[in-house]
Amino acid sequence: MNYLSERARELSPYVAGIQPREEGWIKLNTNENPYPPSPEVAEAIKNFDAAKLRLYPDGDCHELREAVAENLGTGAENVFAGNGSDEVLGLAFQAFFSDKKNVLMPDISYGFYPVWSAMYGVEAKTVPLSGDYTIDAGGYKGANGVIIANPNAPTGVAIGLDEIEEIVKNNPNGVVVIDEAYIDFAGGEKTESAVALSDKYDNLLVTRTFSKSYSLAGLRVGFAVGSKELIDGLQRVKNAFNSYPLGMLEQTAAKAAVRDADYWDETRRRIIGTRGRTTAKLRALGYNVLDSQANFLFMEAPDAKGLYEYLYENKILVRYWDKPGISGFLRVTVGTEAEMEAFLQCIEKQTKPR
């Protein structure tokens, strides 16, 4: 007998990147930070009083929210904390999109969006990316909700704050969620977070994560910034699902990480530098690489699947999707200089693209 509900049976779960169990792999497939967390994080965990673990954590993460608010120049009442930005986004789908029609999202974006849509009865409509894989702000109008990743995933391409504001203005009757998992790696004209608009528009919710730029993927900490009304909505749904999403250690580590701005800036700049050098070398080899504003590259190859398999045989993991629009690309996380050099040497051994 199949005991699953009809909706559960119809779900196509998100498939995460491979996590190898043995040593010796160069792991460029899940967009993890190649550098360790701030030394302040290690110190905070070392000094943590383990006896406190007999108690429940602060379910509302007051101190962490205050630290994030101070860092971003907003109020703690405008910050929500959760178990990674995936949980925060999932709660946002429940709170603001559940059972609604005409919720807009890009046709090529983060693979969890359609999963949550199916899980929460959302009738989503996809908006095609432009020919250069850019999100077309003009395609998002009159919706009951909007979700986009900026920079987008898996392309790494970003749009500017003026375009984000255009989308928010054109959708006054729905919540606009901007998923900024990779915004800390943006550069040039795409540097500004949509958090700058959150006190101007009460229907704008910006989600962020500690997994990428703060090197805390293993602890699962994410947050959202928005109007008090939206934050209260997230709290309402969270408390109907799990009152204690973040443990004491997670909150302690995240507070230490967000307060060490110098280390955060140093590591993200290293990644941005490596990204630029790797992009230039791949282009010199003849590959088309999109202008990434994230901690990964999206590179086109004549035989992307074959190149993926070749790299895998050489114990280098990247991401490949056999899906329309992106089957000719690989997504490659930016690792350390040594890891990217090994990746490039492996690429050079293959037949150069036509």
Side-chain angles (χ1 to χ4, degrees), residues 92-169:
F93 265 74
Q94 293 178 70
F96 310 121
F97 300 159
S98 182
D99 298 320
K100 288 188 177 181
K101 299 179 180 179
N102 195 34
V103 174
L104 302 181
M105 60 187 65
D107 64 337
I108 298 173
S109 196
Y110 186 29
F112 244 132
Y113 300 161
V115 176
W116 290 318
S117 294
M119 182 176 289
Y120 301 119
V122 180
E123 290 191 24
K125 293 183 179 179
T126 58
V127 180
L129 298 183
S130 300
D132 60 357
Y133 291 90
T134 301
I135 287 172
D136 177 14
Y140 296 83
K141 294 180 180 178
N144 292 319
V146 172
I147 182 164
I148 66 172
N150 192 49
N152 196 16
T155 66
V157 179
I159 58 175
L161 197 59
D162 55 341
E163 294 162 289
I164 296 293
E165 187 166 16
E166 178 186 345
I167 293 172
V168 177
K169 285 181 176 179

Side-chain angles (χ1 to χ4, degrees), residues 29-101:
N29 65 328
T30 49
N31 301 340
E32 294 146 321
N33 197 311
Y35 303 107
S38 160
E40 296 296 327
V41 170
E43 189 67 17
I45 293 175
K46 177 183 176 182
N47 294 329
F48 181 81
D49 181 6
K52 291 182 178 179
L53 293 178
R54 65 186 179 84
L55 304 171
Y56 284 109
D58 174 8
D60 289 329
C61 306
H62 286 96
E63 291 185 6
L64 174 57
R65 291 165 61 198
E66 288 172 356
V68 169
E70 181 180 356
N71 179 261
L72 296 177
T74 189
E77 70 275 11
N78 301 115
V79 178
F80 174 86
N83 187 241
S85 63
D86 281 345
E87 182 190 62
V88 176
L89 287 163
L91 292 172
F93 265 74
Q94 293 178 70
F96 310 121
F97 300 159
S98 182
D99 298 320
K100 288 188 177 181
K101 299 179 180 179

Side-chain angles (χ1 to χ4, degrees), residues 165-177:
E165 187 166 16
E166 178 186 345
I167 293 172
V168 177
K169 285 181 176 179
N170 286 335
N171 295 278
N173 298 320
V175 174
V176 176
V177 179

